[in-house]
Amino acid sequence: MSVPGGPVRHLLPLLKDVLPACLRRWAGLALLAWCGGALAQVGTAPAPYKLRVVGGLAGVNQYLQHEEPFWTQQLARLSEGRYSADIVPFDRAGVPGAEMLRLMQLGVLPFGTVLMSALAGQYPQYAAADLPGMGADMAGVRAAAAAFRPYLERDLRQRHGVELLAIYAYPAQVLFCKKPLAKLTDLAGRRVRVSSVGQADFVGALGALPVHTAFAQIMHSLESGDTECAITGTLSGHTLGLYRVTQYLYTLPITWGLAIFAANQAAWNALPPDLRVLLQRELPQLERTIWAAAERDTADGVACNSGAPQCGLQRKGRMVALQPSAQDVQKSREIFEGVILPRWLQRCSVDCAAVWNQTIGPVRNMRVPAAR
């Protein structure tokens, strides 16, 4: 028996090499889930059609309130019971974020959510819409993502055999610090948790020492003294309890934590046609819901970390929430133009100058010199 994209026997050995033990059985079931059509063709009634999905970060609102309910509850309701899905967050499953795209390209994981920051090292071009310091508000990152989307869809399909189905956003990624922080230059000399090479460039330009730390390890890193500040989402940081170990929240968005939801193209094409139609109709709505929630969660995170009256959660911090000055907004733009963008262009193995000038450049009213 074979599955779209190649025989099962050719893909299963990959599980041993690229997946931890906790996910091997789950991914093997994902491959077998593709076989319903083949079973029907040989006259055997297929089992109920259930998708296997790898979701985003565990424990945060995007996953708990949106991704997980969509796949485990809403899909069955929308399809009147014809289809269902299991989902597991990638960091709970033990899948390195940087491996997600490769595993989908191989067909080992048919459907998954991939953090753009995790792709910034190997595929810098895919991080273009969320470069640090580029946009200080949700409207700016929305416009950048919309301008970049056609290129992203085309390149993922042609280069990796992966179909882009949605782009998600997390709350604004801001600074949580133990010591007073009145302006960006106060970061000089501090060890700062970052999640991407772009964030590392940003804090490095301010004289800070970037420390790459997984989301689930942020609390331990701060408690142990390995880091003094952390860049993460406003509400995501509250979920982790960072208000218990940090006192200052600097609310300038450094990035917005964009992610893509995508599918192995062969797996996508092998879906029953009515299921593809359903997902093409419903995933854009899920995307809009997640973006709206990211904007609300940004404000809620600031309110709840600082204990403001508008916080609707039981757990409230007492952090000092600091609004960025006009000087720091300008400083962020200068770092973007003078450090982030040039280094991003240098890291790219494709012609990122052309990519930028054809997509986000016109939106930002900023062209870059063509590659030589």
Side-chain angles (χ1 to χ4, degrees), residues 6 32 34 36 43 51 119 132 169 181 191 204 242 258 313 318 344 349 362:
L32 294 176
W34 291 1
L51 301 177
L119 300 176
L181 181 75
R191 295 172 60 85
L242 298 190
L258 297 188
L313 301 178
R318 296 183 177 179
W344 173 72
S349 59

Side-chain angles (χ1 to χ4, degrees), residues 197-235:
V197 64
Q199 288 184 0
D201 286 343
F202 187 88
V203 301
L206 294 164
L209 179 64
V211 181
H212 290 266
T213 310
F215 176 74
Q217 297 302 315
I218 295 176
M219 188 69 156
H220 173 73
S221 179
L222 288 164
E223 288 179 323
S224 67
D226 188 46
T227 52
E228 302 161 83
C229 299
I231 300 174
T232 193
T234 58
L235 193 59

Side-chain angles (χ1 to χ4, degrees), residues 5-362:
V8 173
R9 61 184 175 86
H10 288 168
L11 291 176
L12 286 176
L14 295 170
L15 302 178
K16 180 179 178 181
D17 298 326
V18 299
L19 289 180
C22 62
L23 193 60
R24 287 176 195 157
R25 180 177 180 275
W26 184 91
L29 290 173
L31 293 174
L32 294 176
W34 291 1
C35 298
L39 286 170
Q41 290 174 11
V42 297
T44 303
Y49 208 104
K50 176 173 282 192
L51 301 177
R52 313 290 178 181
V53 179
V54 177
L57 288 166
V60 300
N61 276 5
Q62 177 178 306
Y63 182 83
L64 293 174
Q65 296 186 9
H66 305 293
E67 281 193 283
E68 185 178 42
F70 176 82
W71 294 107
T72 61
Q73 301 170 31
Q74 295 173 34
L75 178 60
R77 176 178 56 81
L78 291 166
S79 67
E80 298 180 343
R82 294 191 303 277
Y83 306 111
S84 62
D86 287 335
I87 184 171
V88 59
F90 77 88
D91 51 336
R92 289 269 174 88
V95 183
E99 295 295 324
M100 284 290 297
L101 181 60
R102 184 167 74 99
L103 294 175
M104 285 197 291
Q105 180 177 0
L106 291 170
V108 176
L109 298 180
F111 301 89
T113 301
V114 185
L115 305 182
M116 286 187 180
S117 61
L119 300 176
Q122 189 173 7
Y123 302 106
Q125 65 270 30
Y126 298 149
D130 197 26
L131 292 172
M134 183 175 69
D137 56 25
M138 176 63 83
V141 75
R142 279 182 184 274
F148 190 62
R149 188 175 200 136
Y151 167 81
L152 184 61
E153 289 178 344
R154 183 174 62 254
D155 205 69
L156 286 173
R157 186 181 300 120
Q158 295 175 352
R159 190 181 299 271
H160 303 283
V162 167
E163 194 75 19
L164 177 66
L165 301 176
I167 298 176
Y168 301 150
Y170 285 92
Q173 310 289 295
V174 302
L175 281 158
F176 291 73
C177 284
K178 295 179 177 180
K179 298 177 182 178
L181 181 75
K183 56 187 182 298
L184 283 176
T185 53
D186 289 342
L187 283 178
R190 301 192 198 185
R191 295 172 60 85
V192 181
R193 180 267 175 173
V194 299
S195 62
S196 70
V197 64
Q199 288 184 0
D201 286 343
F202 187 88
V203 301
L206 294 164
L209 179 64
V211 181
H212 290 266
T213 310
F215 176 74
Q217 297 302 315
I218 295 176
M219 188 69 156
H220 173 73
S221 179
L222 288 164
E223 288 179 323
S224 67
D226 188 46
T227 52
E228 302 161 83
C229 299
I231 300 174
T232 193
T234 58
L235 193 59
S236 310
H238 180 272
T239 300
L240 290 175
L242 298 190
Y243 58 87
R244 297 197 298 268
V245 295
T246 60
Q247 287 74 49
Y248 298 89
L249 184 70
Y250 197 68
T251 61
L252 176 72
I254 295 173
T255 59
W256 282 85
L258 297 188
I260 62 174
F261 178 72
N264 173 276
Q265 194 170 20
W268 173 251
N269 291 336
L271 293 180
D274 63 323
L275 177 54
R276 284 203 308 273
V277 170
L278 185 155
L279 293 176
Q280 287 170 332
R281 182 183 71 238
E282 296 298 332
L283 284 173
Q285 178 57 44
L286 176 63
E287 178 180 318
R288 288 190 291 270
T289 298
I290 286 176
W291 277 79
E295 191 164 19
R296 290 194 306 272
D297 288 351
T298 295
D300 289 347
V302 174
C304 292
N305 282 305
S306 62
Q310 58 267 40
C311 173
L313 301 178
Q314 290 186 344
R315 297 185 303 156
K316 296 182 181 181
R318 296 183 177 179
M319 297 185 71
V320 177
L322 301 160
Q323 298 298 317
S325 65
Q327 290 79 8
D328 267 3
V329 172
Q330 179 59 32
K331 180 69 173 178
S332 179
R333 290 173 182 161
E334 291 172 358
I335 292 174
F336 171 71
E337 295 178 11
V339 177
I340 303 298
L341 191 57
R343 290 188 182 176
W344 173 72
L345 291 168
Q346 290 171 3
R347 282 193 292 268
C348 281
S349 59
V350 301
D351 187 357
C352 279
V355 172
W356 175 267
N357 289 335
Q358 293 165 13
T359 59
I360 301 171

